[in-house]
Amino acid sequence: MPQVNFEEKNLDKDKIISELIIKVNKLTKRLDDAEKEIAELKAENTELKARLNSNSKNSNKPPSSDGYKKQPALPKKKKGRQGGQKGHKGKTLHQIENPDKIVGCIPESCTCGHIFTEKNCRITEKRQVFDLPQPKLEVTEYQIYTATCPSCGQEQKGAVPEGINSPVQYGNNIKALTVLLNVHFKLPYKKIGLLFNDLFGYSINGSTIFSSSKNCYNKLEESEDIIKSKIINQQVAHADETGLRVEGKLHWLHTITTQLYTYLYVHKKRGTEALQSEKSILDK
């Protein structure tokens, strides 16, 4: 029967226990360090969220610092009677005396078989429909004549109105409409082209819209100077700014206004640099 050395067994057992204790201590330390790091990260995450979500409504930041962030417009519950309120003067369509088109609704025949004509009928009721006519571009051709003088033999050529510079071009009304759609109604070039193609069968290109807007801008320079001078000469004027996007980047639309006049300009900054720029009139 083999002999068992109990001392060696006890030594191995003590060694295993001591190693386990060392490992437990290491794991406990790592766990403590991890919990400490998690707590620090949670605190940092909370602070960063608070910074990210801070705006003029939940902090002391000014409204202009909110940037170009639009909140969804949620419908509000309306109280009381819907539609026009009592005392409100509504704008209702009224029949006119001279309509552009008249369509006669004549009964076809009687139950006895008699066929009616317009001479057999009388008007007993009128109904009018106000609608848009089919849009169509009006093309004006300028025919330029050349004449030879029978006295001296010189040739003289007829003059076309100012602004008619090429064999084919869009007129001023078209250009004015594209500027209105692009600047006032904020439609991009592509949508304006699609709109013109759907309505008129001509897809106006972006370069035409751009040149029309630029030409309008240049011709309004005198009007802009008048507005500036009127505001400068007032004792009181209100100044403010709001964020907008220019080529995807945040810029600032500055406004200076009086009761009758408003001057707007765009700048990359919203502070002193913008107020002292050449576009500003506050330091004048």
Side-chain angles (χ1 to χ4, degrees):
M1 184 174 179
Q3 295 182 354
V4 178
N5 191 339
F6 291 101
E7 289 186 4
E8 289 183 2
K9 271 200 166 186
N10 288 334
L11 286 174
D12 291 341
K13 185 178 180 181
D14 292 341
K15 184 179 180 182
I16 291 171
I17 291 173
S18 63
E19 288 178 353
L20 289 174
I21 291 173
I22 292 171
K23 287 184 177 180
V24 168
N25 290 335
K26 286 183 178 179
L27 291 174
T28 302
K29 187 176 183 305
R30 288 180 63 184
L31 181 61
D32 292 339
D33 293 341
E35 288 180 346
K36 183 180 179 182
E37 185 177 358
I38 290 171
E40 291 175 353
L41 290 174
K42 283 184 176 180
E44 184 180 354
N45 187 39
T46 303
E47 182 183 355
L48 290 174
K49 280 185 176 181
R51 289 185 187 178
L52 185 63
N53 295 326
S54 65
N55 52 50
S56 60
K57 295 180 180 179
N58 57 21
S59 69
N60 60 354
K61 296 173 70 176
S64 55
S65 65
D66 293 342
Y68 193 62
K69 297 178 181 178
K70 291 185 178 179
Q71 299 297 329
L74 300 177
K76 297 180 180 179
K77 292 183 178 180
K78 296 182 179 180
K79 297 180 180 179
R81 180 171 166 268
Q82 300 293 320
Q85 301 301 308
K86 187 177 181 181
H88 172 71
K89 294 182 179 180
K91 294 183 178 179
T92 309
L93 287 176
H94 296 284
Q95 291 191 351
I96 61 175
E97 293 184 3
N98 300 308
D100 300 297
K101 186 190 296 185
I102 296 176
V103 178
C105 300
I106 302 172
E108 295 182 359
S109 62
C110 182
T111 55
C112 68
H114 177 77
I115 304 298
F116 292 105
T117 63
E118 188 175 352
K119 294 179 180 180
N120 306 130
C121 302
R122 64 190 183 279
I123 299 173
T124 56
E125 184 183 356
K126 293 181 180 180
R127 299 181 184 182
Q128 293 185 348
V129 177
F130 288 69
D131 202 352
L132 290 172
Q134 179 67 35
K136 178 185 176 183
L137 292 185
E138 182 182 71
V139 181
T140 301
E141 180 178 274
Y142 293 88
Q143 298 180 344
I144 305 167
Y145 287 84
T146 301
T148 303
C149 179
S151 300
C152 64
Q154 294 186 70
E155 285 194 347
Q156 299 295 334
K157 193 174 183 180
V160 295
E162 184 180 357
I164 310 300
N165 304 318
S166 58
V168 179
Q169 66 182 71
Y170 288 109
N172 290 331
N173 291 338
I174 290 284
K175 295 175 183 177
L177 179 58
T178 60
V179 173
L180 181 68
L181 293 173
N182 179 237
V183 177
H184 185 70
F185 293 103
K186 310 298 186 295
L187 284 182
Y189 292 167
K190 187 175 181 180
K191 285 192 175 180
I192 296 175
L194 290 173
L195 176 66
F196 268 73
N197 188 52
D198 292 341
L199 291 178
F200 308 114
Y202 294 88
S203 182
I204 193 167
N205 57 51
S207 61
T208 301
I209 303 170
F210 173 79
S211 61
S212 299
S213 299
K214 187 177 181 181
N215 188 36
C216 180
Y217 171 78
N218 292 332
K219 289 189 175 182
L220 287 173
E221 183 177 1
E222 184 178 351
S223 299
E224 184 178 326
D225 291 337
I226 293 173
I227 292 172
K228 288 180 182 178
S229 65
K230 294 291 185 181
I231 295 175
I232 291 172
N233 292 329
Q234 293 293 315
Q235 292 183 348
V236 179
H238 171 72
D240 202 354
E241 76 284 329
T242 185
L244 54 72
R245 296 287 177 183
V246 177
E247 295 182 345
K249 296 181 180 179
L250 179 63
H251 283 57
W252 299 93
L253 175 65
H254 294 263
T255 174
I256 307 167
T257 181
T258 64
Q259 188 174 3
L260 297 177
Y261 301 96
T262 299
Y263 171 64
L264 304 168
Y265 68 94
V266 178
H267 199 276
K268 293 181 180 179
K269 303 292 183 180
R270 62 175 287 263
T272 305
E273 184 178 338
L275 299 179
Q276 294 179 349
S277 67
E278 60 179 10
K279 293 182 178 180
S280 176
I281 60 175
L282 291 180
D283 60 343
K284 294 183 172 55

